[in-house]
Amino acid sequence: MTTHTDDAEFAALRRASAMLGRDPLRTQAAGGNTSLKRDGVLWVKASGTWLAEAEEREIFLPVSLPPLLDAVHANDERAAKATDFVVADANPQGLRPSVETSVHAVLPQAVVLHIHCVETVAQVARAEARDAIAARLDGLDGILWSYVPYVKPGLPLAREIEAVSPAGTNVVLLGNHGLIVAAETVAGAVALIERVSAALAAPVRSAPAADIGALEALAGGSPYRLPTDPAAHATATDPARLAIAARGTLYPDHVVFLGSGTAVLAEGDTPSAVAERSELPPMLLAVPGKGVLIHREVLRGGDALARALAEVTGRIEADAPLRFLTVDEEQELVTWDAEIYRRSLAAAAKN
């Protein structure tokens, strides 16, 4: 088996992965995954690793592609984890495949990039997402796209992508989730991301500045702190953003890193009182007109998702009909072994 260290295209994948991972508008924290197929082997990002670190540490591992595809087509549950298909001799660190490995497998192109681009998420969270996307992507030269309404990530998503995507599909929009592009080269896949993101881009609504002094006073003596990225405050200082965020969860990684929805601090209430009343205190607490607070026990990556919420909701019109994850869909994520594993890695990294 040719090792990835001998492959110039793999070096390009590392660079592109790091670039996408460092851009908070493209993907956040441990979200997103990338891959390269070579000689019957799928080199895919490991679960819980960060694209931003692709050039600093080993985040890819090899999976034998033919038996994985056979398992996908047989709806064999082994395809969900894909651990049975890892080429163990070429995985000395014992990395575990991304939860989306089966998704990368079913797309035939050599390079597959999956990101949680905020421009995309702001469109696929809409109740009429397919129509909104068609108005922007139809007719664009060289783009053959498909749309998949929300389905649990992993094997169910892979099977649905195969079912709805005609031959030659190189762009897949995932309802309440994100964007997938596929090409024969890394450069071609990155170019697709740029074209699709530009086509889906929406104006960003302005937001008043945060009241840092008031937030610091509220956080004092409580289990909450200010976010590391000030851009996160816009969720609470912009009434339209807050109205959207308070209604529920728009995409899976919010559930994984910040829990269900966004808690809103009522007038006269305190962060400490909110935490004491809850068996599971909210990780993200919005203080209307002032900004947001983050629980000190938040997983590594939670701050990035707090900013993502502000970015996504700031690109959605206040009166836009939206589709939120259901309670069952949220529970399906938090009780899923793959996400429990990813959260355990985030918790270990924090400690």
Side-chain angles (χ1 to χ4, degrees):
M1 180 181 70
T2 301
T3 64
H4 64 275
T5 55
D6 302 325
D7 195 324
E9 190 70 354
F10 200 96
L13 179 69
R14 284 186 181 278
R15 289 193 298 272
S17 299
M19 174 192 71
L20 294 169
R22 289 192 295 262
D23 185 345
L25 302 185
R26 291 289 183 259
T27 203
Q28 306 81 33
N33 32 77
T34 59
S35 70
L36 176 68
K37 300 179 184 74
R38 281 290 184 269
D39 304 321
V41 174
L42 172 68
W43 290 91
V44 66
K45 194 197 92 162
S47 180
T49 60
W50 290 42
L51 288 177
E53 299 174 348
E55 293 182 293
E56 303 165 14
R57 54 175 293 207
E58 184 58 79
I59 71 166
F60 294 97
L61 75 157
V63 175
S64 185
L65 189 55
L68 172 59
L69 281 173
D70 288 344
V72 171
H73 296 148
N75 203 23
D76 183 339
E77 275 303 313
R78 293 183 304 153
K81 291 183 179 179
T83 51
D84 286 356
F85 311 107
V86 171
V87 183
D89 291 346
N91 182 31
Q93 297 186 59
L95 299 174
R96 179 167 164 171
S98 164
V99 297
E100 304 286 16
T101 296
S102 55
V103 169
H104 290 258
V106 300
L107 292 166
Q109 292 91 336
V111 178
V112 176
L113 309 178
H114 167 46
I115 59 172
H116 303 152
C117 163
V118 298
E119 304 289 3
T120 301
V121 176
Q123 299 297 329
V124 297
R126 297 168 187 271
E128 301 299 330
R130 191 189 302 273
D131 293 341
I133 293 162
R136 293 166 178 264
L137 295 188
D138 279 357
L140 292 185
D141 185 51
I143 291 179
L144 178 59
W145 65 276
S146 64
Y147 172 75
V148 180
Y150 180 80
V151 63
K152 180 184 175 182
L155 180 58
L157 178 57
R159 291 178 59 82
E160 192 63 22
I161 288 172
E162 264 203 320
V164 305
S165 301
T169 296
N170 57 4
V171 173
V172 184
L173 289 305
L174 309 177
N176 291 98
H177 189 160
L179 169 67
I180 299 173
V181 300
E184 294 306 323
T185 65
V186 173
V190 170
L192 278 173
I193 283 179
E194 296 306 319
R195 291 186 64 200
V196 172
S197 295
L200 297 181
V204 182
R205 190 169 46 254
S206 62
D211 188 338
I212 301 299
L215 292 171
E216 289 176 338
L218 283 168
S222 83
Y224 289 87
R225 59 168 173 79
L226 273 65
T228 58
D229 192 331
H233 290 304
T235 296
T237 63
D238 171 20
R241 281 176 168 91
L242 183 57
I244 294 170
R247 289 170 58 193
T249 309
L250 291 169
Y251 41 88
D253 269 7
H254 184 101
V255 179
V256 173
F257 289 94
L258 292 174
S260 175
T262 302
V264 180
L265 187 68
E267 187 174 356
D269 206 352
T270 67
S272 292
V274 169
E276 289 169 3
R277 287 197 300 269
S278 308
E279 184 177 346
L280 293 174
M283 292 293 106
L284 182 65
L285 184 60
V287 185
K290 293 181 173 60
V292 302
L293 295 172
I294 305 279
H295 199 282
R296 296 181 188 277
E297 296 302 315
V298 73
L299 293 174
R300 179 186 180 221
D303 283 87
L305 270 297
R307 172 175 176 169
L309 180 63
E311 297 286 2
V312 169
T313 54
R315 287 165 168 78
I316 299 174
E317 311 92 282
D319 59 350
L322 299 174
R323 193 263 184 197
F324 296 87
L325 298 186
T326 67
V327 172
D328 287 345
E329 288 166 347
E330 290 187 353
Q331 280 299 112
E332 191 176 47
L333 289 167
V334 298
T335 59
W336 184 21
D337 173 71
E339 291 298 6
I340 292 171
Y341 173 76
R342 194 159 68 129
R343 288 199 302 274
S344 72
L345 292 181
K350 180 174 186 257
N351 296 330

